[in-house]
Amino acid sequence: MIMAEQLEAVLAGFGGQGVLFAGKVVAYAGLIEGREVSWLPSYGPEMRGGTANCSVTLADDPIGSPLVIHPNALVAMNQPSFEKFLPEMAPDGVVVYDSILITPGEDLKAGCGIPASKIAEEAGLDGLMNIVLVGALWAKMGFCKRETLDEAIDRCVPASKAALIEKNKLALKLGIEAAQ
């Protein structure tokens, strides 16, 4: 596991894949641990199916800009997002992606492809591929304490969807296991 002093991540995919929620979980983990945090969402005007991404920075020192120009982490949930953000990666960056939906190409050195959508589906966690990938990102970068991720889920899942808290925690666990 790479332990990045500062996480500068881009999470990207289509609207409806939970890109912004996944970024929010990572950002909350930083807040819980008292770190400096930036979460910057970006999405098209479509409700579902349009592009969506967010930049998340976790740091021990003040963050100068919410823009992540050369991320040290990329969580890609579809091929167009993978292709768009991969060229911007820092040289030692980690790429986590759904190997069912993305064909990485031969030049990817530090990639962690897991069948996240298949893992989620087989576990009865439809729609939680995003959190499976957050688990994989944590397995590769250890951006917070493990128990902090569970607490971030507790805080991010709205009370109206409390029944999904344990499913999200299971998705994290499955993503961590798949990436190790």
Side-chain angles (χ1 to χ4, degrees):
M1 173 189 318
I2 297 170
M3 188 62 158
E5 188 172 302
Q6 179 165 310
L7 177 70
E8 295 182 77
V10 170
L11 295 88
F14 291 130
Q17 287 184 301
V19 173
L20 303 183
F21 180 79
K24 187 176 172 183
V25 169
V26 173
Y28 258 89
L31 284 174
I32 291 165
E33 292 190 352
R35 299 185 76 189
E36 299 289 323
V37 175
S38 173
W39 177 77
L40 182 65
S42 175
Y43 47 89
E46 306 88 354
M47 289 282 292
R48 299 217 180 262
T51 60
N53 67 77
C54 65
S55 299
V56 179
T57 302
L58 306 181
D60 295 325
D61 297 318
I63 299 167
S65 170
L67 299 176
V68 174
I69 307 299
H70 298 292
N72 62 4
L74 171 61
V75 175
M77 298 184 200
N78 62 26
Q79 192 74 38
S81 296
F82 180 85
E83 291 171 1
K84 177 180 179 180
F85 291 104
L86 186 64
E88 307 304 321
M89 290 291 296
D92 59 346
V94 173
V95 181
V96 175
Y97 61 94
D98 187 334
S99 62
I100 299 294
L101 302 175
I102 295 170
T103 304
E106 294 144 23
D107 56 342
L108 182 63
K109 296 175 186 79
C112 174
I114 63 168
S117 51
K118 182 178 178 183
I119 290 168
E121 182 182 331
E122 288 178 353
L125 304 172
D126 292 334
L128 294 180
M129 171 264 289
N130 59 334
I131 302 301
V132 172
L133 289 171
V134 169
L137 177 64
W138 183 86
K140 294 299 176 188
M141 298 196 72
F143 53 85
C144 66
K145 294 178 190 155
R146 173 61 185 93
E147 58 271 14
T148 302
L149 274 178
D150 285 339
E151 189 175 341
I153 291 291
D154 290 337
R155 292 189 186 190
C156 289
V157 175
S160 63
K161 295 184 180 182
L164 295 176
I165 290 174
E166 292 308 314
K167 288 183 175 190
N168 275 271
K169 290 178 181 179
L170 176 58
L172 280 173
K173 179 179 180 280
L174 294 173
I176 292 167
E177 290 170 357
Q180 292 178 329

